[in-house]
Amino acid sequence: MFPRLGRAVTQISKLRSFSSNASPFFSRCAYATVAQADDAPSQNDFPSKSPVNLDKLFWSKPCSLALPKDSPLRIDEPDYQGVRRFILKMLLFYSKQSTSIRGANVIYKRIIAQVDTPAIYDVFNLEKTFKITYSLLVLHMWLVLRRLKQEGKEGVDLGQYVYEIYNHNVEVRVSKAGVNLLLLTWMKELERIFFGNVVAYDTALLPDAKPNDLQIKLWRNIFSDDGTTTPDGTELKAAKAMARYVRREVGSLSLTDKESIFSGNFSFTPLENKASVT
């Protein structure tokens, strides 16, 4: 799915990692109304550690990903009182749109945190390149948008804000890499890839899909350089492990309550401890 992108990637090797029928999520809305998520700090490429025992990973049952009330990772809505709260209400700080935009920013931060962690590259024995990082970003965007869609129109509307933040973040990062003349072309190509991957993952989870369909889609979109090469033993194990990881995250997100999802107070399954499994 990446032949054209793969050829072009070599021209922008300095690009920073993303620290960034049609679905109803993706109708474009004016980004001027959406607050931009802060850029995550840039990180150097990190080589994979010695391979972990992938056969042991991601067999546990799904569970809620909601953050505990006392978690230091929580980002709760400010609870202003008195005159300050009155003024903020007058300024529509507590309006549904403003609350949704703040929630979407937190949600996107959760996605970036998982994609940026060195552990995800160590666990799945991946090199930190533009193509792989972008593929992981799309995968986790799909996981979140899929969960939001389960909440009906309200979730779809929030998903549009998340998508606009993602889209703006991708555009800024590509632009910062020096791709200005061909920026529009690049964004169109990345958008095409985004939609293609989303459809592929949705199809792989349909009831009539083959058991290994998701594994094949993940291999082509993330592990393979050109989408056609045959994986060796290690890469095949990694693709199978990622398929189990994805299915577990799908189940865990479904078990996560609406309030935690909408506020962004959830966290993907930590992978740091997985990298030490041998």
Side-chain angles (χ1 to χ4, degrees), residues 97-270:
Q97 183 184 44
S98 295
T99 302
S100 295
I101 291 172
R102 289 193 295 275
N105 272 276
V106 179
I107 290 171
Y108 191 68
K109 288 177 186 293
R110 304 301 183 192
I111 294 171
I112 290 298
Q114 189 75 343
V115 171
D116 265 356
T117 177
I120 198 168
Y121 300 87
D122 292 336
V123 167
F124 297 110
N125 198 29
L126 294 168
E127 184 181 357
K128 195 170 193 294
T129 64
F130 171 79
K131 179 260 183 182
I132 291 176
T133 300
Y134 179 73
S135 300
L136 291 172
L137 175 59
V138 172
L139 174 64
H140 288 80
M141 278 288 293
W142 166 74
L143 285 168
V144 167
L145 296 180
R146 186 180 188 278
R147 173 61 183 89
L148 289 173
K149 191 175 180 180
Q150 294 174 359
E151 298 296 337
K153 184 180 184 302
E154 189 177 4
V156 170
D157 290 343
L158 180 56
Q160 288 192 13
Y161 288 123
V162 177
Y163 178 74
E164 289 298 325
I165 294 169
Y166 147 85
N167 196 64
H168 181 79
N169 184 242
V170 171
E171 184 174 333
V172 168
R173 291 174 183 276
V174 173
S175 180
K176 283 183 177 180
V179 183
N180 294 311
L181 183 61
L182 300 175
L183 179 60
L184 182 59
T185 301
W186 259 85
M187 293 306 297
K188 286 183 177 180
E189 177 68 6
L190 293 176
E191 186 176 48
R192 183 191 67 81
I193 293 168
F194 184 95
F195 290 137
N197 286 10
V198 165
V199 172
Y201 297 142
D202 278 337
T203 303
L205 291 188
L206 292 175
D208 58 348
K210 296 179 181 179
N212 65 340
D213 276 358
L214 180 59
Q215 168 193 319
I216 292 172
K217 301 301 183 185
L218 291 168
W219 160 253
R220 290 177 177 172
N221 293 340
I222 298 175
F223 294 89
S224 175
D225 289 334
D226 57 10
T228 60
T229 55
T230 303
D232 61 24
T234 301
E235 292 170 329
L236 182 60
K237 284 185 177 181
K240 288 181 176 179
M242 183 171 286
R244 293 196 299 273
Y245 163 77
V246 169
R247 291 185 185 278
R248 189 181 186 281
E249 296 304 278
V250 167
S252 296
L253 285 166
S254 294
L255 293 173
T256 306
D257 63 280
K258 175 182 174 181
E259 190 280 330
S260 295
I261 293 292
F262 276 42
S263 64
N265 282 311
F266 66 91
S267 178
F268 289 101
T269 299

Side-chain angles (χ1 to χ4, degrees), residues 17-154:
S17 65
F18 289 91
S19 311
S20 111
N21 352 14
S23 166
F25 280 123
F26 310 123
S27 59
R28 303 279 295 181
C29 62
Y31 189 79
T33 63
V34 182
Q36 177 184 347
D38 294 334
D39 284 346
S42 61
Q43 300 180 8
N44 296 327
D45 290 355
F46 28 79
S48 296
K49 299 178 182 178
S50 57
V52 300
N53 191 338
L54 292 165
D55 291 334
K56 293 184 178 180
L57 299 181
F58 311 116
W59 293 104
S60 60
K61 292 182 178 180
C63 61
S64 172
L65 299 178
L67 293 171
K69 295 295 183 183
D70 59 349
S71 171
L73 297 177
R74 287 185 64 89
I75 302 178
D76 293 312
E77 277 283 286
D79 186 23
Y80 298 117
Q81 299 297 326
V83 176
R84 177 180 291 184
R85 185 178 184 87
F86 174 78
I87 294 174
L88 288 174
K89 287 185 70 174
M90 295 292 292
L91 295 174
L92 302 180
F93 180 81
Y94 291 105
S95 68
K96 183 177 180 179
Q97 183 184 44
S98 295
T99 302
S100 295
I101 291 172
R102 289 193 295 275
N105 272 276
V106 179
I107 290 171
Y108 191 68
K109 288 177 186 293
R110 304 301 183 192
I111 294 171
I112 290 298
Q114 189 75 343
V115 171
D116 265 356
T117 177
I120 198 168
Y121 300 87
D122 292 336
V123 167
F124 297 110
N125 198 29
L126 294 168
E127 184 181 357
K128 195 170 193 294
T129 64
F130 171 79
K131 179 260 183 182
I132 291 176
T133 300
Y134 179 73
S135 300
L136 291 172
L137 175 59
V138 172
L139 174 64
H140 288 80
M141 278 288 293
W142 166 74
L143 285 168
V144 167
L145 296 180
R146 186 180 188 278
R147 173 61 183 89
L148 289 173
K149 191 175 180 180
Q150 294 174 359
E151 298 296 337
K153 184 180 184 302
E154 189 177 4

